[in-house]
Amino acid sequence: MPERQNCQFFLLRYVPDAVRNEFVNIGLVLLPPHAPAEFRLAKDWSRVRALDPQADLEMLDAFGHELQLQMGGEETRDVVLKKIEDWFSNSSQATEYKGCLTDSPAQEADELARIYLNASRRRASREKGPRQMIFRRIKKEFELAGVWRAMRKNIPASQYTRSGDPLKIDCGYGVNSTIKMFHATPLRSEINAAKALAFTFPQFVEGLRRAEGAQAQLTAIVEDGLQRENEAVVFAMEVLQDQKIKIAPLAELPQIAELAAREIRI
């Protein structure tokens, strides 16, 4: 019979507004005494959406996937929290330790996730977040230019990076051995979306070169009127530019779509 182990676990909470301090449990980390950490992520984002209609669910998926990949050793709570902080900035909190006795840390993590993370589905809010609003503008301008149907959509990064990568680039097209891509990337309230995009893009570039012999060009479509005095916005822009990702505000979309129309029809 397997020996029972004294394990510790804590919850990861999504806290969109630190002043109101309302939260949703989105993750669970169980730390066995002599084995790798067990990490579980919520399977249903309905409670997150109910709390924060503008939550970037794509970023949450990318965060969970990357954290899972990094938890390969015997992590301490401080190490795990550092990884979480690197991704989530001020939008997350970790609870205090709780103890549990189990002969199977993996099964115990599954059961704790069922209790703390997984809830019955709720009807999603009809309110659209900033990423969805930017994406609708992107689609509209390319439709007006008559090229939307000819473009690639939801380009899966996993084709060029590694299996399981959840990122999908919104749209793109090929011209002269270059794939020009465009992705809705709100910066005013969701700088982690920029971090997730910048993290993946270098691997995407190399994978596309190997798979198709093509170069990758990515433009992040951002809000109009971003204030350069905002430190968070400046940080997000620098993160993107460091990875050679172009930045264009919504106001430039008509010109971008017009150029796409000329190039696609060559």
Side-chain angles (χ1 to χ4, degrees):
M1 182 175 180
E3 182 181 353
R4 295 172 72 83
Q5 304 176 47
N6 283 306
C7 301
Q8 294 180 314
F9 73 93
F10 62 93
L11 302 174
L12 176 64
R13 292 171 170 174
Y14 176 64
V15 187
D17 189 332
V19 175
R20 295 172 63 183
N21 200 33
E22 296 178 335
F23 65 85
V24 173
N25 294 330
I26 62 167
L28 178 142
V29 179
L30 185 143
L31 302 171
H34 305 294
E38 294 285 345
F39 174 67
R40 301 292 184 272
L41 193 69
K43 296 180 180 179
D44 180 5
W45 297 120
S46 61
R47 289 194 297 171
V48 171
R49 180 65 79 189
L51 176 64
D52 180 13
Q54 296 184 347
D56 189 337
L57 304 187
E58 180 179 284
M59 183 273 293
L60 290 173
D61 278 331
F63 156 76
H65 175 73
E66 185 59 31
L67 190 58
Q68 181 74 65
L69 289 175
Q70 292 186 22
M71 286 189 178
E74 296 181 7
E75 311 283 13
T76 66
R77 182 176 187 269
D78 290 342
V79 171
V80 173
L81 286 178
K82 179 61 171 64
K83 292 177 179 178
I84 291 170
E85 288 170 359
D86 288 344
W87 269 84
F88 246 17
S89 301
N90 296 322
S91 299
S92 70
Q93 292 179 358
T95 66
E96 295 298 322
Y97 278 127
K98 294 185 179 182
C100 61
L101 187 64
T102 179
D103 56 13
S104 173
Q107 292 181 10
E108 184 70 13
D110 289 339
E111 178 61 17
L112 291 171
R114 185 188 66 79
I115 296 171
Y116 288 103
L117 306 182
N118 300 329
S120 58
R121 293 184 178 273
R122 299 182 184 179
R123 188 173 182 179
S125 168
R126 296 187 180 212
E127 184 177 347
K128 297 295 184 180
R131 209 188 91 77
Q132 289 76 19
M133 293 174 65
I134 295 174
F135 173 74
R136 288 204 303 269
R137 283 285 303 277
I138 293 173
K139 180 180 178 182
K140 177 182 177 182
E141 293 298 336
F142 283 123
E143 285 178 335
L144 290 173
V147 295
W148 179 250
R149 290 187 177 182
M151 298 178 71
R152 298 167 63 175
K153 292 98 169 175
N154 292 322
I155 304 168
S158 59
Q159 286 186 353
Y160 309 106
T161 57
R162 55 191 175 194
S163 178
D165 190 332
L167 179 65
K168 293 183 179 180
I169 304 297
D170 288 330
C171 59
Y173 65 92
V175 57
N176 297 330
S177 299
T178 298
I179 306 299
K180 292 188 174 183
M181 296 171 291
F182 308 89
H183 195 70
T185 313
L187 301 185
R188 187 174 287 117
S189 61
E190 301 181 19
I191 64 170
N192 285 298
K195 291 170 67 176
L197 194 63
F199 177 86
T200 298
F201 189 58
Q203 302 169 56
F204 190 105
V205 170
E206 180 60 23
L208 181 66
R209 184 190 63 79
R210 289 197 308 267
E212 301 181 15
Q215 296 181 344
Q217 182 185 107
L218 177 59
T219 301
I221 306 299
V222 304
E223 306 96 318
D224 287 327
L226 290 175
Q227 297 183 5
R228 300 302 178 105
E229 297 80 11
N230 186 315
E231 291 184 355
V233 169
V234 172
F235 168 77
M237 288 184 170
E238 289 177 350
V239 165
L240 294 171
Q241 292 169 341
D242 285 346
Q243 300 303 330
K244 305 298 188 295
I245 298 173
K246 296 184 176 182
I247 300 172
L250 287 167
E252 294 182 12
L253 271 175
Q255 291 79 18
I256 291 173
E258 182 181 344
L259 175 61
R262 292 199 302 268
E263 291 182 328
I264 290 175
R265 291 167 183 164
I266 290 177

